[in-house]
Amino acid sequence: MFNIHSLNFPRTFSEAISRFRANLAYFRMNYAIIVLLILFLSLLWHPISLIVLIIMMALWLFLYFLRDEPLAIFNRTIDDRVVLVVLGVSTFLFLLLTDGTSNILVSVLIGAVVVLVHASLRRTGDLYDEESTGLVSGPSSSS
């Protein structure tokens, strides 16, 4: 993610969109961490908002970052993207109920710009799939 040699300007707008989509899918968890970190730093002088953010970050940890298995509710598997959107929107809404509205809006906007710039400038040619390179072992067929 932080390889400086993998950053360059896309040649066309369609290449930038293609890079954005690929990088957003590949670095989804990293981008969520970056936006949450920027949000945390912006709320250091708003204790109530910070407490709400810490509670929501605990939910993020248990429901998104530290799960080994897919989330299942009433025997239905919930996709990671749905969990990401629900946690993101609920974090944003709960924080807006506190007194740090301007800080929250500005920090989310800054986080979105950081994600947009990185996802558009990062080349996708050197990204790899852990399963296809053998880093993650799938179910074995041996008896």
Side-chain angles (χ1 to χ4, degrees), residues 19-113:
R19 284 184 183 188
F20 177 77
R21 287 182 179 158
N23 285 326
L24 194 61
Y26 192 81
F27 294 115
R28 178 176 51 213
M29 193 173 294
N30 298 12
Y31 291 152
I33 291 171
I34 288 170
V35 171
L36 286 171
L37 180 65
I38 292 171
L39 187 58
F40 176 80
L41 292 174
S42 74
L43 295 176
L44 286 176
W45 290 271
H46 295 276
I48 300 297
S49 300
L50 194 56
I51 290 169
V52 169
L53 180 65
I54 290 171
I55 291 169
M56 292 305 297
M57 286 177 84
L59 288 173
W60 276 88
L61 279 173
F62 290 114
L63 296 175
Y64 189 71
F65 294 119
L66 299 179
R67 281 187 302 114
D68 292 334
E69 301 172 0
L71 183 64
I73 299 176
F74 300 120
N75 293 327
R76 296 189 66 157
T77 302
I78 309 298
D79 187 42
D80 276 345
R81 291 174 288 196
V82 173
V83 175
L84 180 70
V85 169
V86 168
L87 282 172
V89 169
S90 61
T91 300
F92 187 70
L93 290 177
F94 283 132
L95 285 173
L96 286 179
L97 295 175
T98 63
D99 198 24
T101 304
S102 62
N103 280 1
I104 294 163
L105 293 175
V106 168
S107 64
V108 169
L109 181 64
I110 290 171
V113 168

Side-chain angles (χ1 to χ4, degrees), residues 113-124:
V113 168
V114 168
V115 167
L116 178 69
V117 168
H118 182 271
S120 298
L121 295 181
R122 174 83 165 66
R123 285 184 305 211
T124 58

